[in-house]
Amino acid sequence: MKGCLIRLQLFLKLWFTSIYSLMSILLIPIVGLIIFNYGSYTVDDVSSLVYEKTATIWFVFIIQWCFSIDLDSKFYNQLITYPIAKWKFLLERALFSAILFFGLTSIVTFPLGFIFGKFMWQGFVFTVPVNLAIGAFVIFGTMIGKHSLGGIIAGIFFWMMILFGGPLLRDLNAILLIYGSVESFVSGDSGFLAGENRWILLNRLFYIGLGVLCMVGAVFKTNRKTEG
């Protein structure tokens, strides 16, 4: 555990001293400023734009950065010679990515929450399953491609499906906060287990399941690669 915390400190130091991190950190605040200064948007439009359309691609780039440090520099080939379980290495890097993403997104949500109300926090929590799914998909792509480039390509493909695949995905559409019925569900105005909301619960469970499946596939691919 102590070793994990030391590596986390090193990752955070690398992150906050890189130009890449500065560009990534500025992405969502810039969107928020544009919304506040030039747009007359409803709260559901804002939450969808920030958390469903922008934050997802933000997460892709954060994960790509975390894995590129080890995979692209070939440090991974040296690291796996040490007595460390391969699945622990994978989950540790995924944890670092999640800490960076959810921590920075929470910081962004504070001012948006003051401006638009608590629905911003509720919308943030509602999109967590989609973020978990896209994150696991990026990690799986990274392991398949044996390079962070494979992960970022997989992530961009997933993001494009989120943006433009609504008619094809139908009830599995990832962009839901723009709909009034979903807004009522997220804000708690309608019953959580009401019959008309079951499809929303199934939608979120689908993305949680997809995330778990992709992560298991990434772990299996990593163990199989290193044992071969």
Side-chain angles (χ1 to χ4, degrees):
M1 183 63 183
K2 184 177 180 180
C4 179
L5 292 177
I6 292 174
R7 289 189 292 273
L8 175 59
Q9 292 175 3
L10 292 174
F11 260 74
L12 292 177
K13 183 177 180 179
L14 286 171
W15 172 261
F16 287 109
T17 55
S18 66
I19 297 178
Y20 183 90
S21 70
L22 179 62
M23 295 173 61
S24 299
I25 291 171
L26 289 176
L27 180 60
I28 289 184
I30 288 174
V31 173
L33 288 173
I34 292 174
I35 293 170
F36 182 70
N37 291 319
Y38 300 103
S40 55
Y41 296 90
T42 61
V43 64
D44 50 344
D45 288 331
V46 173
S47 59
S48 179
L49 176 61
V50 173
Y51 300 120
E52 293 181 325
K53 299 175 183 177
T54 306
T56 43
I57 191 66
W58 197 34
F59 196 21
V60 169
F61 286 113
I62 289 176
I63 294 176
Q64 185 270 338
W65 178 84
C66 284
F67 277 88
S68 67
I69 293 176
D70 295 311
L71 290 177
D72 300 356
S73 65
K74 303 303 182 182
F75 179 67
Y76 172 75
N77 295 331
Q78 178 183 358
L79 182 64
I80 61 176
T81 63
Y82 290 86
I84 178 174
K86 311 309 179 293
W87 64 269
K88 288 184 179 180
F89 164 81
L90 201 64
L91 294 183
E92 183 180 87
R93 296 315 186 264
L95 175 63
F96 292 169
S97 304
I99 289 173
L100 282 170
F101 173 72
F102 289 112
L104 294 172
T105 307
S106 296
I107 293 173
V108 170
T109 305
F110 272 108
L112 293 178
F114 281 114
I115 297 170
F116 297 102
K118 67 177 183 179
F119 184 77
M120 297 303 297
W121 285 104
Q122 294 167 334
F124 175 31
V125 174
F126 180 74
T127 56
V128 167
V130 176
N131 288 317
L132 293 178
I134 195 171
F137 198 73
V138 171
I139 294 171
F140 184 58
T142 300
M143 294 300 103
I144 292 293
K146 302 178 183 178
H147 195 280
S148 67
L149 180 61
I152 202 168
I153 291 175
I156 291 175
F157 172 77
F158 197 112
W159 182 65
M160 296 288 286
M161 282 295 298
I162 289 176
L163 289 185
F164 307 111
L168 177 64
L169 296 174
R170 300 174 68 84
D171 285 351
L172 297 179
N173 185 10
I175 298 179
L176 298 180
L177 289 172
I178 56 176
Y179 300 111
S181 59
V182 177
E183 181 183 357
S184 298
F185 171 81
V186 174
S187 60
D189 294 337
S190 62
F192 187 73
L193 297 177
E196 63 269 20
N197 293 328
R198 288 179 182 173
W199 72 273
I200 302 176
L201 294 173
L202 290 174
N203 180 286
R204 299 296 97 169
L205 287 173
F206 167 78
Y207 284 102
I208 292 174
L210 180 62
V212 171
L213 183 63
C214 289
M215 202 64 201
V216 169
V219 170
F220 177 77
K221 175 64 177 177
T222 303
N223 288 338
R224 185 178 180 183
K225 173 187 172 182
T226 52
E227 290 172 1

